Amino acid sequence: MSPTPAPALPSPAGMLRALIVACGLTAIALAGCGGSAIHQAPSRPVAEGGDGEVEISWNAVPDAKKYTIRWEDSTAGETKFPNTIKDLKDTTYVHTGLVNFHTYRYQIYANGSGGDGPGSVIVSAETGTVPETVEWAAVVTEGTTQKVYFDPAAGAEEYRVYIANSAEALAGRRPDAGFVTTATSPYVRENVSSGVANYYRVIATAGARIGFDGPVVVTSAFGISKFELPDVAPALADSNDDDCLDLVGAQGDCAGAFEASDLATAGLDSLFAAGRVNGDSRFADVNADGKPDIFSDVRSAASQAGSRAILHINQGNGTFLADASVAALNIGGQGGTILAADFDNDGDVDIFAPHDWSGTDGGRNWLLVNDGAGSFIDNAAAAGLQTGPAGAAYVPGGGQAVDFNEDGHVDLLFGSRLMLNGGDGSFSDASATAGLAAVADQGLALADIDLDGDLDLVRLDGTFTRLYLNDGGVFGAGIVVNGDATAQGAGLTVCDVNGDGFQDVWVASNALATGTGTPQLLLNVNGQLMRSDVPDELAADTGDLLAANDLLGCADVDGSGIADIVARWGEYRILRSALPLGAVLRIRVLGAGGEYNQQGRIVKIVPSGVAGRTITRVVESGSGLRSQGAYDLLVGAPWPGEYEISVRFKDGWYATTAEPGAELTIYEDGRVADGLQ
C-alpha cells in the first residue's frame, strides 16, 4: 500500500491571507491573532509638580491590564522619552526622586494582552515646592463690584481666582472653569450684574506649580419673600412636631414659606387682647413634654393693668393654653429680650424677663425659677438681678444667656452688665472685670467672630455697630464696623450666611430722613466685619421695599444648610440664601432624658484640616434684640477632615468627632447618637 503523501504547506503569502480572514487585518497589525488589542489612548492626563516629585493621573482605558509611562527630563536635555515606568495597575502614579526646578515630560500607554495602545497626549510638569493651600476666602458685594478676599498662602507667587456658576464646576486642583490671576488679596471684579451670585475658588501658584484646592466660596445672594404674619418678635422653633421651623402665630412649610395661624383657634389671641402691647416671645419647653411653649412679655408701662406677660402651654394639637400661675405674677413693664435657660442646673428651663426699671411705674426684672412642672416663682431679688444701675445705658434691650466663663453655670448679659452665675442662686456683676462698656444697646450678641475659641461681643447702639474682641475674658475697645449719623435701627442677629464657618452679622437700619431702609449684612472676612450689599432687585415682586425694618432672627428655614434671615420689615420678609454651599454640621444638644434644656451651653468645634481654628457656638437662649434663632446648631464645615466637637455641660466637658455633613445629637450624660434625635 502506498504511503499517504504529506499535505503541501501553504506559502507565506497564503498563511498571511488565512490570518487576515480569521482575525482581521487590524488585529494582526496591532496584536497578533488571539491577542486583546488596546485601541484607545489614556485620556485627560495630568501632571502636577511637587517637591522632588511629579504626580501623574489619567482616565482608565477599557480592557487595559496595566499602564506604561514613558518620560524624559527635558531640562537635562533628554528627548524621545528614553525612560520607562512599567506594569502600573492604578491610574495615578507619584514619580519621586526628581531634581527640583526641572521640567519633566510624560506620555502614558495602556497595555492589553495584545500589547500597547496609542500614547496619550504629552503632559509636562516642573518640580519644586508647592504653595500652601489658601485657608479661607470670602466675597463682599459693593453694588456691581465683587471683592474676593483670601488668605495669603506660604510659597505663593500669584493666585488663580476661578469663577463659575456652580460649586461642582470648581472641583479639583485645576477646576474646569475660567480664572483670572492676581498677586494680592482682594481680587476686585467690576461690573458684575447686580443680584448675580458667583462661586469662587482661590488657588495659589508658584511658577508652573499650582497649590492644592482651597474652599469654594459664594457671593451672598438672597431671594426675598413677603408674608402677612402676626406682629410678634421673630422666634423660631418646631411648635407642631413636623420638623419645620415655625414662628409664633405662623406655621412654616420647610421650604421657607410661612402661613399665619388663626390666633383664636390656636389659643394665641390673648397676645393681642385689648389694652395689651405685645413685646418679645420665647419658645421654651418649660414642662419637659417635648413641645415648645411660648413665654411673651409686653412693652408698656408697668401701671397699664391690661398689659401683662403670658405663658402659653403647647397642647400638642396645634393649640396653646394660657398658664394661670404666670398670669398671677402680674408681670408688666417695658420688656427687653427674654432669655430662657436652666439657670439653677436642676434640669428644667427657667426664664429671665428683663424690664426697664428706670421709670417710676414699678418696672423691674424677673427671674422665674421653674419647679420642674412648669410653674414658676420669682427669684430676681435674691439673685441680685431685680434692678440695675441708673442711666439709659443700663436699661435692658438686647441680651443673651450663655456660660461665659465655661464653669457649667449659665450666665446673663443684658443692660451693659455681665452677670456671672454663682451656682448658688445668686449672680455677681463682672462687667468691670470683663471690660464691658456701658452702651444703650439696640441689640447684642456674643459670638466667636475671629474663631479663636472665645466669645466676642457685637453691639448695636441704634446708629453704630461695634465689635468688641475678647482677649482672655476681657473685651477690648469697641471697633466701629458699621453705621453713620444718617440712619438708625433697632435689631441685630448673628449667623453664618455663606457656610464658611465664620458667623456674620445683620443689623437693622433706617434712614432718618424717611424712616425706612434695608437690613444690612456685615460679612465676616476672617474676623473682620465688612458691609456687603443686599441687592434690592431680588425682591421686585415682594411689594414696596420702602418700609421700616427692626427685629431680626436667623435660622435655616428651608433646610438648605445655610441660615436664612427673618426680618420684621414692613410686615415680615424672609431673606432666603439663594445658593447653599458646602458641607455643614448639624448638632443637637439635649438633656440626659432628651430634654430641650441646654440653652446657653458652650459648644466648641475644632477642625483637623486647618491649624489654629476653634469655632465656638452657643445653644440659643434668645439673643440679639427680642429674637430667637433655632435651638439646633448649624455650623459651616468648609475644611476637610474630622472635626472634634466638645460641649460644656453642667458637670464637665464631653467630646466626640464628626465628619463634614454629619448630623448628631449629644446628650448631657455624654452619649452621642447619629442624626437629630
Side-chain angles (χ1 to χ4, degrees):
M1 189 172 187
S2 301
T4 303
L9 294 174
S11 67
M15 293 176 66
L16 178 61
R17 283 194 297 272
L19 282 169
I20 291 173
V21 171
C23 303
L25 180 60
T26 302
I28 293 173
L30 294 178
C33 185
S36 177
I38 297 295
H39 301 284
Q40 292 179 224
S43 62
R44 298 185 67 85
V46 175
E48 297 288 2
D51 189 2
E53 64 183 31
V54 173
E55 182 177 342
I56 310 145
S57 62
W58 59 92
N59 287 351
V61 174
D63 300 323
K65 305 285 187 187
K66 53 189 177 180
Y67 299 90
T68 297
I69 298 175
R70 298 173 186 172
W71 63 276
E72 64 187 28
D73 181 348
S74 58
T75 303
E78 292 181 344
T79 60
K80 299 183 180 180
F81 300 98
N83 311 294
T84 304
I85 304 168
K86 295 183 177 181
D87 299 326
L88 302 176
K89 296 295 182 69
D90 297 324
T91 57
T92 60
Y93 179 75
V94 180
H95 190 193
T96 59
L98 306 180
V99 179
N100 272 347
F101 308 110
H102 279 215
T103 298
Y104 293 84
R105 288 165 32 101
Y106 299 88
Q107 191 168 29
I108 304 104
Y109 295 80
N111 317 132
S113 57
D116 289 349
S120 71
V121 173
I122 296 170
V123 291
S124 63
E126 180 189 77
T127 52
T129 55
V130 173
E132 296 291 332
T133 299
V134 172
E135 180 185 308
W136 60 263
V139 189
V140 173
T141 301
E142 296 178 1
T144 60
T145 298
Q146 293 179 352
K147 295 182 178 180
V148 184
Y149 292 85
F150 54 88
D151 178 39
E157 296 174 4
E158 290 185 312
Y159 300 87
R160 290 183 178 182
V161 181
Y162 288 87
I163 308 168
N165 58 10
S166 71
E168 292 74 20
L170 297 177
R173 194 171 175 184
R174 291 182 184 265
D176 187 15
F179 67 86
V180 293
T181 301
T182 183
T184 59
S185 170
Y187 160 64
V188 179
R189 188 180 180 203
E190 306 269 4
N191 301 317
V192 181
S193 297
S194 180
V196 173
N198 293 282
Y199 292 84
Y200 295 90
R201 182 170 233 159
V202 184
I203 302 180
T205 62
R209 303 181 305 282
I210 191 167
F212 292 93
D213 45 311
V216 176
V217 295
V218 65
T219 50
S220 301
F222 302 91
I224 305 178
S225 303
K226 182 179 178 182
F227 301 96
E228 294 186 9
L229 304 176
D231 187 18
V232 295
L236 291 141
D238 178 9
S239 65
N240 57 0
D241 200 28
D242 64 353
D243 293 326
C244 302
L245 289 175
D246 308 307
L247 292 161
V248 175
Q251 303 301 308
D253 68 351
C254 286
F258 291 86
E259 182 178 355
S261 304
D262 183 295
L263 295 182
T265 301
L268 296 173
D269 52 333
S270 54
L271 291 174
F272 301 100
R276 186 178 188 278
V277 183
N278 197 55
D280 193 12
S281 291
R282 190 64 60 248
F283 280 112
D285 183 8
V286 300
N287 56 4
D289 64 354
K291 299 181 285 291
D293 311 300
I294 305 170
F295 182 90
S296 303
D297 66 10
V298 293
R299 292 189 59 76
S300 54
S303 57
Q304 189 169 330
S307 193
R308 291 293 181 262
I310 304 174
L311 172 64
H312 285 99
I313 301 298
N314 192 331
Q315 302 300 296
N317 57 3
T319 67
F320 293 81
L321 184 65
D323 178 75
S325 65
V326 167
L329 293 173
N330 208 31
I331 301 171
Q334 295 285 346
T337 301
I338 301 167
L339 306 176
D342 183 8
F343 295 111
D344 55 4
N345 276 348
D346 66 351
D348 50 43
V349 180
D350 310 305
I351 294 173
F352 180 64
H355 289 73
D356 181 357
W357 55 73
S358 62
T360 59
D361 61 358
R364 65 176 182 85
N365 301 327
W366 299 74
L367 177 61
L368 304 182
V369 178
N370 194 333
D371 69 355
S375 294
F376 298 89
I377 59 170
D378 176 39
N379 196 41
L385 296 172
Q386 186 166 278
T387 59
Y394 296 97
V395 172
Q400 194 168 6
V402 53
D403 182 4
F404 182 77
N405 57 1
E406 300 177 11
D407 66 351
H409 302 290
V410 179
D411 310 305
L412 288 164
L413 178 65
F414 70 99
S416 295
R417 291 193 299 162
L418 174 62
M419 303 297 291
L420 295 183
N421 188 339
D424 57 358
S426 68
F427 289 75
S428 59
D429 192 339
S431 308
T433 303
L436 185 64
V439 174
D441 75 87
Q442 294 295 329
L444 61 82
L446 289 164
D448 187 1
I449 298 297
D450 51 7
L451 301 194
D452 66 348
D454 56 28
L455 295 171
D456 309 301
L457 174 62
V458 183
R459 213 160 26 164
L460 170 66
D461 68 7
T463 299
F464 296 98
T465 306
R466 290 177 173 84
L467 169 63
Y468 301 82
L469 292 174
N470 185 340
D471 183 6
V474 179
F475 296 114
I479 305 164
V480 174
V481 292
N482 188 63
D484 60 61
T486 67
Q488 284 189 337
L492 177 147
T493 193
V494 173
C495 53
D496 181 358
V497 301
N498 54 6
D500 65 354
F502 292 87
Q503 288 187 287
D504 311 295
V505 178
W506 286 82
V507 293
S509 181
N510 299 287
L512 288 176
T514 64
T516 65
T518 300
Q520 296 181 356
L521 168 61
L522 308 180
L523 200 72
N524 190 337
V525 180
N526 192 37
Q528 297 185 60
L529 297 177
M530 298 184 180
R531 171 82 179 273
S532 188
D533 291 343
V534 179
D536 287 351
E537 298 88 285
L538 294 178
D541 61 348
T542 66
D544 184 13
L545 286 172
L546 295 178
N549 64 92
D550 58 359
L551 305 184
L552 299 162
C554 60
D556 180 11
V557 299
D558 59 3
S560 66
I562 297 292
D564 311 297
I565 304 303
V566 181
R568 196 167 72 171
W569 181 5
E571 291 168 289
Y572 261 104
R573 287 183 171 90
I574 311 299
L575 289 76
R576 291 175 52 213
S577 294
L579 293 171
L581 174 66
V584 297
L585 295 167
R586 294 183 187 269
I587 305 169
R588 180 171 291 174
V589 182
L590 299 177
E595 303 89 352
Y596 286 77
N597 60 1
Q598 298 302 312
Q599 293 90 340
R601 300 298 181 195
I602 297 289
V603 181
K604 294 182 184 284
I605 304 104
V606 179
S608 64
V610 61
R613 300 290 192 186
T614 298
I615 303 169
T616 305
R617 295 293 177 88
V618 183
V619 180
E620 174 71 328
S621 65
S623 60
L625 180 69
R626 302 197 299 279
S627 70
Q628 178 184 14
Y631 182 91
D632 295 335
L633 299 178
L634 178 68
V635 183
W639 298 291
E642 199 171 60
Y643 286 68
E644 181 180 285
I645 302 167
S646 304
V647 183
R648 182 40 161 119
F649 290 105
K650 66 179 182 180
D651 294 326
W653 291 92
Y654 288 96
T656 186
T657 58
E659 296 285 340
E663 297 183 350
L664 67 161
T665 301
I666 305 174
Y667 293 89
E668 188 180 15
D669 57 8
R671 289 177 296 125
V672 179
D674 290 334
L676 302 181
Q677 302 295 309

